[in-house]
Amino acid sequence: MAALISENFKFVSLFFKSKDVMIFNGLIGLGTVASQTAYNIFAFNCPCSPKKNYLYGLAAIGVPALAFFVIGVMLNRNTWDVVSECRTRKCQKLSLSAAFALLGSILGRAVVAPITWSVISLLRGEAYVCALSEFVDPSSLDHFPPTTKTPEIMARFPCKDIPAPFMNYSRVIERQLKYESQLLGWLLLGIISLAVFLLLCMKHCCSTLGYQQEAYWTQYRSNEQDLFQRTAEVHSKYHAAECVKNFFGFVALENQEKQLLEDCKGIKSVIPRMEWNRVTGVYMYREIDDTPIYSRLNKWDMYTKENNC
């Protein structure tokens, strides 16, 4: 029974690991939906004033989306790979295909939250109703009472704070604006879905790699990065332990850490800047044995190139 549970757990973990990008984007989308819902419930408050409604409604849709986009770009490690590449090598070895792949990776993840926020905002319709209520043409409404304060009256419809003669038109205006808002939301969602599909088709059509080759090198890069991070953590801990021991004469380590660091004797104590620069940068396009691949410019690249493997 324990073996069966262990095998099932291993299968589930492998499945989620293979779908990590999809799951990550899904979690971002769900988090954005929850944030947008909470904002509409607890924070959204239309000013119901001419000229202010429009700015407030557009800000409620656009500013959070822009903030999510900037945060998404900042949190993507590929962004800083590009910065490091431009700083250390002035982007001289950054090919056009690598630049396209990097920008696609950075923007692809960064736009998930902004698009989700914008689409959900349009589908809910509150911000759109607030923004455009003052621009509704009274002549499009049957038997709308004449008034000299049309912009002021129309701007107050989202708050339901309107004079009694206009109260009957509240639901009509809200229904009309929500229809427009939701139509724009569905159109935006459809256009983005079509654009993503076409970009993926173009990527696979222009790639010289087969689908299985791309899957293999994606797994290779993921495993390389995982091993690099774990090894860097152990190396930094070993170096820190040596420095603390030189200062105090001893270092307080757990038994598991002692065993781990005991196995690390003989490792490099200091890694030269030139070697760090080799592994700092972007994924570059090159060919080995006429097989084009994406690979990080690092020691493994140098080894495979020298040995033609």
Side-chain angles (χ1 to χ4, degrees):
M1 185 64 179
L4 180 62
I5 294 175
S6 176
E7 287 299 320
N8 288 334
F9 178 78
K10 191 179 297 184
F11 172 77
V12 171
S13 64
L14 287 173
F15 173 79
F16 281 108
K17 186 175 181 181
S18 64
K19 306 292 183 182
D20 57 345
V21 174
M22 187 185 302
I23 293 171
F24 181 76
N25 290 338
L27 291 175
I28 291 178
L30 289 176
T32 307
V33 171
S35 301
Q36 210 280 336
T37 303
Y39 169 74
N40 276 286
I41 294 174
F42 299 109
F44 184 81
N45 189 16
C46 185
C48 295
S49 175
K51 299 182 180 179
K52 292 182 180 179
N53 282 16
Y54 184 69
L55 295 176
Y56 186 85
L58 290 185
I61 297 174
V63 173
L66 177 62
F68 280 131
F69 177 77
V70 174
I71 292 172
V73 172
M74 289 171 55
L75 295 181
N76 194 318
R77 65 181 307 276
N78 286 336
T79 302
W80 308 114
D81 279 339
V82 173
V83 173
S84 298
E85 175 71 19
C86 294
R87 181 180 63 84
T88 57
R89 288 182 282 271
K90 310 301 181 184
C91 296
Q92 294 176 357
K93 297 184 179 180
L94 182 60
S95 65
L96 183 62
S97 55
F100 181 80
L102 272 171
L103 288 176
S105 173
I106 294 171
L107 297 179
R109 287 195 175 186
V111 299
V112 173
I115 289 174
T116 304
W117 180 278
S118 300
V119 169
I120 297 300
S121 295
L122 290 172
L123 292 179
R124 292 181 64 91
E126 286 92 342
Y128 187 90
V129 171
C130 176
L132 296 182
S133 60
E134 63 181 289
F135 299 106
V136 175
D137 185 7
S139 62
S140 64
L141 305 172
D142 295 334
H143 308 294
F144 191 82
T147 177
T148 57
K149 298 181 178 180
T150 300
E152 289 81 0
I153 295 296
M154 303 306 290
R156 291 164 61 182
F157 270 102
C159 299
K160 308 291 191 297
D161 181 23
I162 49 179
F166 304 95
M167 188 65 70
N168 293 334
Y169 296 92
S170 177
R171 292 182 61 84
V172 176
I173 293 174
E174 182 179 358
R175 188 163 54 246
Q176 177 181 333
L177 291 176
K178 282 195 172 182
Y179 155 75
E180 296 175 3
S181 178
Q182 292 179 2
L183 180 62
L184 287 175
W186 288 119
L187 285 175
L188 178 62
L189 185 62
I191 291 171
I192 291 171
S193 300
L194 181 61
V196 170
F197 173 72
L198 292 176
L199 285 173
L200 289 175
C201 289
M202 186 172 66
K203 173 192 171 185
H204 287 293
C205 290
C206 296
S207 176
T208 55
L209 298 179
Y211 179 77
Q212 294 297 333
Q213 285 177 293
E214 285 191 352
Y216 172 81
W217 287 112
T218 299
Q219 292 175 351
Y220 168 80
R221 292 196 303 270
S222 176
N223 291 330
E224 182 190 46
Q225 182 62 31
D226 184 48
L227 289 171
F228 185 90
Q229 293 295 337
R230 281 190 287 158
T231 306
E233 181 182 357
V234 174
H235 184 278
S236 61
K237 183 176 291 187
Y238 179 87
H239 193 49
E242 289 292 319
C243 292
V244 172
K245 186 176 181 180
N246 290 335
F247 185 81
F248 288 104
F250 77 100
V251 59
L253 295 172
E254 301 289 341
N255 290 333
Q256 186 177 1
E257 292 175 328
K258 288 180 181 178
Q259 181 61 41
L260 179 63
L261 297 183
E262 191 70 25
D263 297 336
C264 294
K265 285 189 174 179
I267 66 174
K268 292 182 179 180
S269 59
V270 178
I271 301 176
R273 180 186 295 271
M274 290 298 296
E275 294 196 25
W276 276 113
N277 286 342
R278 283 202 188 115
V279 298
T280 302
V282 300
Y283 293 104
M284 296 172 54
Y285 188 86
R286 62 188 184 82
E287 292 188 1
I288 297 177
D289 279 346
D290 297 326
T291 304
I293 63 172
Y294 282 102
S295 182
R296 184 173 291 279
L297 182 64
N298 55 16
K299 281 191 158 184
W300 174 252
D301 272 355
M302 305 301 290
Y303 173 80
T304 53
K305 191 173 183 180
E306 290 171 1
N307 292 277
N308 197 32
C309 62

